[in-house]
Amino acid sequence: MEETKARLCKFIFDGLMLWGMAVPAFWLISGIGESVLRQDFLLLYFAAFFFAALFTEVINRRKLLFILIPVIVVTVFLTSRDTLLLWNCLTACGVCCILLLILFASFRKWILPLPVILLLVFCIPNEELPGFTAGCLLLSFLGVISEFLRGAKRERFLPLLGGVSLLACMIPSSPEPMQWEGLKKAISGTGDLLVTGWKNVSYFFEGLFGDEDVSYLGYSESGGLSGGLIGSEREELYFKKEGKKQPVYLQGSVYTGITAKGLTGKMQQELPVNAWMAPYLSALSVAGVTRAEAACFSKVERADVTYAYIRTGDLIIPSTIFRIRNDLKYGLDETAKKGFSYDLGYFIFDYASPYFRDFCDRAGRLKGRAGYDEAVRVAKELYDLPLPDYLTRDEYEASMTAYEETEQAPDCLDTTMVTDRMQELADQLTKGCDTDRKKAENIERFLRQYTYDQSVDLRGSENYVDAFLFEAQKGYCMHFASAMVCLLRASGVPARIVQGFLHEPNEEGLVTSQEAHVWVEGYLSGVGWVRYEPTATMASAEDTGWGLVLKEPGKEELPEKKEVVQEDPEELPAIPEITVLPEKQTTEGTSFRQIMRTVVFYLLVILGLAAVSVAGYLLVRRILYLRLPAEEKLKTDMAALRKKLDMKLPEGERAESVFDYLPYIDDETVRSRLTELFRKYYRVRFRRDAVTPELQRDLHLASKEKYA
């Protein structure tokens, strides 16, 4: 027992030393350039390795540490969705192993000062050195001093001065009355670290059981219908743009099919990603839009995109781009991970502008088709864009043909999910509308009257779109978008669902999982695909309108900002009364069960990995043992036996010969058997007797027994 206490005391001492060196080391590593390494991740994984080492020390099985560390790394690899987490884990593992080697080296008294001196040299001159990091640095320095002390003085010296050093870095140095700001910040920082750690642990577990109770916030390549939305905010990608801070819709995937289980018919990228320009430029020509009119409802912008916490085979872009890196013109060939980046140019539109609406109506009535040369002229005159640099003649012709075929495409007009009462509602909403544009806007305005609620779960319904419209009458973007697509198709307007992000630009260009969104594109004859936002609480086209109008005749023909007179919206029918109360609307109480099931699942995975690792370790050790020569087997078995018998010796004593153990064996039978076994063993070692199978067997069995 005393020996165990001594080992644990030494381990805690070494752990303090390790922590004192690890914190400043990780602070330096995480601050190198634009490193993907983050100090909170590194310290989290370091803590995991430390407690794994503590566990092996408690059970006196240090060799298990070489199994547990790979298990931790493999677990992170299996549960993470991004190489960011894995790189942090591997870095923490590497630093931990290096420091352990330094601490456990037999000559560590002489090698330990070197890394501490290096840390002091690199950290002290830095003016941004955090107080806690400085305290840990002082702790490691005091530990080096304590290494040159002897006996119990060392264990008493380091915790005392280490505690004083950590307390010193927290005490304010201001002459004003003490506010304990350092301590408050330390507590706050610890809380932030725990919250960050929990967010990342929960991020590991997200999506495992998404088809059961809930769906997780963030972009997903799956169009399946799930339950209520849960999840914390995390970084998905960076979209750094120029120009005004207007919301940007970033398309990820497009679906044409709607079933009871969710979205199907994900469109595969065949045409260039800027194929939408062909019908748009053609429509501008046919409608006779001038440069000044076009400037009232359309602009050109550029942006840089970099992937963060997102791993996808979908290209995240505005759906109205005209330029992108050449090798991405036809989409991605493989899954994109963190650090993947590209730059692009794209159009933004004011869909509420009366000039845009007039343009859509004129192009819809005339339904002409401009040739490639005419499209080149329009692009140059209206936007100063050299179209041949972005869209070739063959690509233009192929795009025009594909878009013209969309009007009769069965997948974008499929009404399988349209019920009788949905058809009746669609007829009411579009009664008297003479254009597809007005039909779409009426349906959009009607749906925005519904209630937005992330907790709604409609999977128990035979038709979740019908249940959303007439029973629950609340839901999130997936429900709103599906309802609008069905109502548009019931009105004869081709429609599809787009999944991606609705990004509110910020200084960092950060796009978070909270901005993941689903919206609708309706096909307007003669124009092409136009975006609609049916989801309540999201900004409408009128809310984000630019308010640009043409100046009076005789003045410079440029638009100016002025109050725009919109056409009077038609009166819409009220939301239908709830006919049937849904049996399952919310997922209240399911989040905890979901998390618990996930935690249990991963505990089983970890235990399984540990069991497989231990079994593999024992198997390899057994194979290596069987391959040893007879005398080496004897030495191995005797070493194992002596290790067990060492536990019988009083504290501080050491057996010079195997016969020194015999006085401490209480059982007379066991003592006699071991006496005879030791004699045979010594005859083999020193008299060079032959190794008999009986001796081999008896010594091996003796090394496996327990000696109370």
Side-chain angles (χ1 to χ4, degrees), residues 219-222 252-257 263-269 312-314:
Y219 181 76
S220 170
E221 296 181 350
S222 170
S253 52
V254 179
Y255 297 91
T256 58
L263 308 180
T264 60
K266 185 175 180 178
M267 297 182 64
Q268 301 300 320
Q269 186 65 50
T312 177
D314 297 330

Side-chain angles (χ1 to χ4, degrees), residues 213-276:
D213 293 318
V214 294
S215 176
Y216 291 89
L217 291 176
Y219 181 76
S220 170
E221 296 181 350
S222 170
L225 179 67
S226 297
L229 297 176
I230 67 172
S232 56
E233 186 175 25
R234 63 173 178 268
E235 302 93 338
E236 297 275 61
L237 53 91
Y238 289 88
F239 185 86
K240 296 184 178 180
K241 65 183 290 289
E242 297 177 349
K244 295 183 178 180
K245 304 299 183 182
Q246 295 168 326
V248 180
Y249 283 78
L250 302 176
Q251 170 186 298
S253 52
V254 179
Y255 297 91
T256 58
I258 302 179
T259 68
K261 294 184 178 180
L263 308 180
T264 60
K266 185 175 180 178
M267 297 182 64
Q268 301 300 320
Q269 186 65 50
E270 295 179 356
L271 293 172
V273 293
N274 57 357
W276 72 276

Side-chain angles (χ1 to χ4, degrees), residues 282-450:
S282 176
L284 289 175
S285 174
V286 171
V289 176
T290 65
R291 181 185 179 93
E293 288 177 326
C296 288
F297 64 79
S298 59
K299 297 177 184 178
V300 172
E301 291 190 345
R302 68 166 303 277
D304 295 312
V305 181
T306 304
Y307 284 19
Y309 270 105
I310 188 172
R311 176 182 295 171
T312 177
D314 297 330
L315 192 60
I316 309 298
I317 55 174
S319 59
T320 53
I321 71 169
F322 64 86
R323 175 186 59 78
I324 195 169
R325 216 170 63 192
N326 289 336
D327 55 344
L328 298 178
K329 195 172 183 179
Y330 288 89
L332 294 172
D333 295 329
E334 56 185 14
T335 299
K337 303 176 183 178
K338 180 175 175 60
F340 177 73
S341 62
Y342 48 89
D343 65 284
L344 49 83
Y346 61 99
F347 283 82
I348 58 172
F349 293 96
D350 179 3
Y351 292 104
S353 170
Y355 300 99
F356 178 80
R357 288 168 171 164
D358 181 61
F359 152 65
C360 291
D361 293 344
R362 279 185 286 166
R365 286 194 305 269
L366 299 174
K367 293 184 180 180
R369 175 172 179 171
Y372 181 71
D373 294 334
E374 174 63 12
V376 171
R377 182 193 67 79
V378 171
K380 186 64 177 177
E381 289 187 3
L382 271 56
Y383 302 105
D384 295 322
L385 291 179
L387 184 62
D389 291 350
Y390 312 123
L391 202 64
T392 66
R393 184 181 298 274
D394 291 340
E395 290 171 339
Y396 177 87
E397 295 297 335
S399 301
M400 287 299 298
T401 301
Y403 272 75
E404 289 168 354
E405 293 173 352
T406 302
E407 291 191 64
Q408 303 300 324
D411 52 351
C412 291
L413 286 167
D414 178 49
T415 57
T416 303
M417 291 285 286
V418 178
T419 62
D420 291 340
R421 54 182 178 178
M422 289 169 63
Q423 183 65 60
E424 182 179 349
L425 176 61
D427 293 340
Q428 283 183 296
L429 293 173
T430 58
K431 184 178 180 180
C433 295
D434 55 355
T435 64
D436 289 347
R437 176 187 65 81
K438 291 182 179 179
K439 292 180 182 179
E441 291 177 358
N442 277 5
I443 294 172
E444 179 188 43
R445 287 193 295 113
F446 171 77
L447 290 174
R448 292 181 64 84
Q449 301 175 91
Y450 282 70

Side-chain angles (χ1 to χ4, degrees), residues 179-196:
Q179 300 294 324
W180 295 101
E181 293 297 330
L183 181 59
K184 293 177 183 178
K185 290 181 179 179
I187 295 174
S188 175
T190 303
D192 292 342
L193 180 62
L194 292 175
V195 170
T196 302

Side-chain angles (χ1 to χ4, degrees), residues 146-194:
S146 69
E147 279 295 315
F148 291 89
L149 300 178
R150 295 182 178 181
K153 293 182 180 179
R154 184 182 66 179
E155 281 73 15
R156 296 174 184 174
F157 180 80
L158 181 59
L160 176 62
L161 293 187
V164 172
S165 65
L166 291 179
L167 184 62
C169 75
M170 297 177 186
I171 297 177
S173 58
S174 171
E176 299 178 1
M178 186 175 293
Q179 300 294 324
W180 295 101
E181 293 297 330
L183 181 59
K184 293 177 183 178
K185 290 181 179 179
I187 295 174
S188 175
T190 303
D192 292 342
L193 180 62
L194 292 175

Side-chain angles (χ1 to χ4, degrees), residues 47-74:
F49 299 138
F50 175 79
F51 284 112
L54 178 61
F55 171 75
T56 61
E57 193 69 25
V58 170
I59 65 175
N60 197 22
R61 295 289 189 274
R62 280 189 177 180
K63 291 183 179 180
L64 281 180
L65 187 61
F66 298 100
I67 298 176
L68 291 178
I69 288 181
V71 168
I72 294 173
V73 176
V74 170

Side-chain angles (χ1 to χ4, degrees), residues 475-488:
Y476 49 88
C477 54
M478 174 74 165
H479 305 130
F480 282 88
S482 299
M484 182 168 184
V485 167
C486 287
L487 292 175
L488 281 173

